[in-house]
């Protein structure tokens, strides 16, 4: 006689699907995806701005700007998650099929113990990494991965144990030895795993943003040079910036400033820095687009 549907691999998968559908009914997939992409784009931009000594709110990026910036922070982790998911799905199919046919094999208790032990070690490693006061980029990436892997392995070892104790769906084993996986447990574990993956991508976005800030600072000489013409004196008193005054009465602009570099442009504003600017010292000059000024861009070195 067949056991309860929740004790079979198909029943367990149906439980997971119902749990996912319950979450999806509360939060729309499109809204959730947009919010996550916005957050990843913000994390990348915020890390870059912090490295350059600025605040991300100064750039006044739009939602579209953050979504576009999130692309470079998502495609690598997404590809890794998809690849890992395919491998784990294949392994799960193999284990489930063999477990359904031969639940009495002595290898299953060993597998459960190994999964639980490795998962516990991974979780402890994640906790240790999390408490590191000066984490490297590698530690930042390993922390959520270890926590997610630890939680996932321990949860899967419990699932294997329940399936083994339930016996084959067509055999005479006692199916009441293990009940179906509780939907609430599936939902909670799934949410924790998703939170860990979001944390992982956010850390990756933060690292990418900081690396981009480092690249901009290191390659400042190759950034476009900017010559500013202004009707009024701007009083840009920075090392390496020269001011030239024009006294001709018919001149459209009275002042010219040279020695500036373009950092970026956002929301009709230009963020300029002197050629001698560095992360440790230097000032960022913000000029709005205005008819009283003219900007000329010169190819970098």
């Amino acid at each position: 006689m067949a056991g309860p549907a929740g004790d079979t691999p198909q029943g367990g998968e149906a439980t997971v699907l119902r749990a996912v559908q319950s979450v999806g009914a509360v939060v729309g997939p499109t809204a959730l995806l947009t919010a996550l992409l916005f957050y990843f784009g913000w994390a990348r931009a915020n890390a870059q701005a912090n490295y350059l000594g600025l605040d991300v709110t100064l750039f006044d990026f739009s939602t579209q700007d953050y979504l576009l910036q999130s692309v470079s922070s998502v495609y690598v982790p997404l590809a890794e998650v998809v690849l890992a998911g395919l491998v784990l799905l294949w392994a799960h199919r193999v284990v489930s099929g063999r477990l359904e046919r031969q639940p009495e094999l002595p290898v299953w208790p060993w597998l459960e113990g190994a999964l639980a032990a490795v998962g516990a070690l991974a979780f402890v490693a994640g906790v240790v990494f999390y408490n590191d006061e000066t984490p490297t980029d590698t530690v930042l990436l390993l922390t959520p991965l270890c926590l997610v892997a630890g939680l996932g392995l321990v949860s899967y070892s419990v699932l294997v144990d329940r399936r083994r104790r339930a016996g084959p769906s067509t055999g005479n084993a006692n199916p009441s030895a293990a009940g179906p996986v509780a939907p609430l447990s599936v939902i909670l574990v799934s949410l924790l795993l998703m939170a860990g993956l979001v944390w992982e991508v956010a850390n990756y976005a933060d690292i990418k943003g900081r690396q981009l800030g480092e690249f901009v600072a290191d390659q400042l000489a190759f950034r476009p040079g900017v010559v500013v013409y202004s009707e009024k004196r701007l009083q840009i008193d920075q090392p390496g910036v020269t001011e030239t005054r024009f006294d001709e009465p018919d001149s459209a602009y009275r002042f010219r400033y040279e020695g500036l570099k373009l950092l970026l442009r956002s929301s009709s504003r230009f963020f300029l820095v002197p050629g001698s600017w560095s992360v440790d010292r230097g000032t960022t000059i913000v000029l709005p687009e205005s008819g009283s000024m003219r900007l000329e861009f010169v190819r970098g070195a």
Side-chain angles (χ1 to χ4, degrees):
M1 180 177 179
D7 293 335
T8 66
Q10 293 79 9
E13 292 175 1
T15 301
V16 175
L17 289 177
R18 287 197 300 270
V20 173
Q21 290 171 354
S22 299
V23 176
V26 178
V27 181
T30 302
L32 178 60
L33 178 61
T34 301
L36 289 176
L37 291 177
F38 178 89
Y39 173 68
F40 297 146
W42 175 87
R44 175 184 177 275
N46 184 63
Q48 178 186 359
N50 287 340
Y51 183 84
L52 297 175
L54 302 171
D55 190 282
V56 70
T57 57
L58 294 174
F59 301 142
D60 196 21
F61 288 138
S62 64
T63 300
Q64 184 178 4
D65 292 330
Y66 284 122
L67 294 179
L68 290 175
Q69 292 190 52
S70 70
V71 173
S72 62
S73 304
V74 170
Y75 67 84
V76 172
L78 180 61
E80 294 175 347
V81 168
V82 171
L83 180 60
L86 291 175
V87 173
L88 293 176
L89 180 60
W90 170 82
H92 172 66
R93 292 290 186 182
V94 172
V95 171
S96 296
R98 193 69 179 272
L99 184 60
E100 182 66 17
R101 294 190 302 269
Q102 297 176 301
E104 73 285 350
L105 290 178
V107 71
W108 298 123
W110 288 94
L111 178 62
E112 296 163 12
L115 289 174
V118 173
L121 289 175
F123 193 86
V124 171
V127 173
V128 172
F129 290 150
Y130 178 77
N131 289 294
D132 191 345
E133 296 182 356
T134 56
T136 63
D137 290 348
T138 302
V139 170
L140 287 175
L141 294 177
L142 284 177
T143 300
L145 281 182
C146 288
L147 294 175
V148 167
L151 178 62
L153 289 173
V154 172
S155 300
Y156 194 72
S157 70
V158 175
L159 178 62
V160 172
D161 178 71
R162 294 174 69 88
R163 292 277 179 85
R164 178 177 62 85
R165 293 178 182 276
S169 58
T170 58
N172 296 320
N174 180 16
S176 63
V181 178
L184 180 58
S185 300
V186 175
I187 292 175
L188 292 177
V189 172
S190 300
L191 289 177
L192 288 173
L193 293 176
M194 289 175 58
L197 293 177
V198 170
W199 183 10
E200 171 71 11
V201 179
N203 283 354
Y204 182 81
D206 184 88
I207 293 172
K208 290 291 291 185
R210 181 158 35 83
Q211 289 176 346
L212 183 59
E214 294 173 355
F215 177 80
V216 171
D218 294 339
Q219 302 295 319
L220 185 62
F222 299 94
R223 303 287 295 176
V226 182
V227 180
V228 180
Y229 290 87
S230 176
E231 294 179 359
K232 298 181 179 180
R233 189 182 182 192
L234 300 178
Q235 296 178 316
I236 302 178
D237 185 17
Q238 295 296 323
V241 179
T242 59
E243 177 188 271
T244 303
R245 179 169 182 166
F246 303 104
D247 294 325
E248 294 83 353
D250 58 345
S251 177
Y253 301 99
R254 303 295 303 276
F255 298 91
R256 180 180 65 195
Y257 295 89
E258 298 175 284
L260 295 167
K261 290 285 186 177
L262 176 65
L263 195 62
L264 61 87
R265 177 185 177 275
S266 176
S267 299
S268 301
R269 292 182 298 174
F270 295 92
F271 292 78
L272 311 176
V273 294
S276 59
W277 179 92
S278 67
V279 175
D280 298 329
R281 57 182 180 84
T283 302
T284 301
I285 300 145
V286 183
L287 295 179
E289 289 186 358
S290 172
S292 63
M293 288 186 294
R294 188 184 84 203
L295 276 65
E296 294 181 355
F297 300 93
V298 183
R299 184 175 181 177

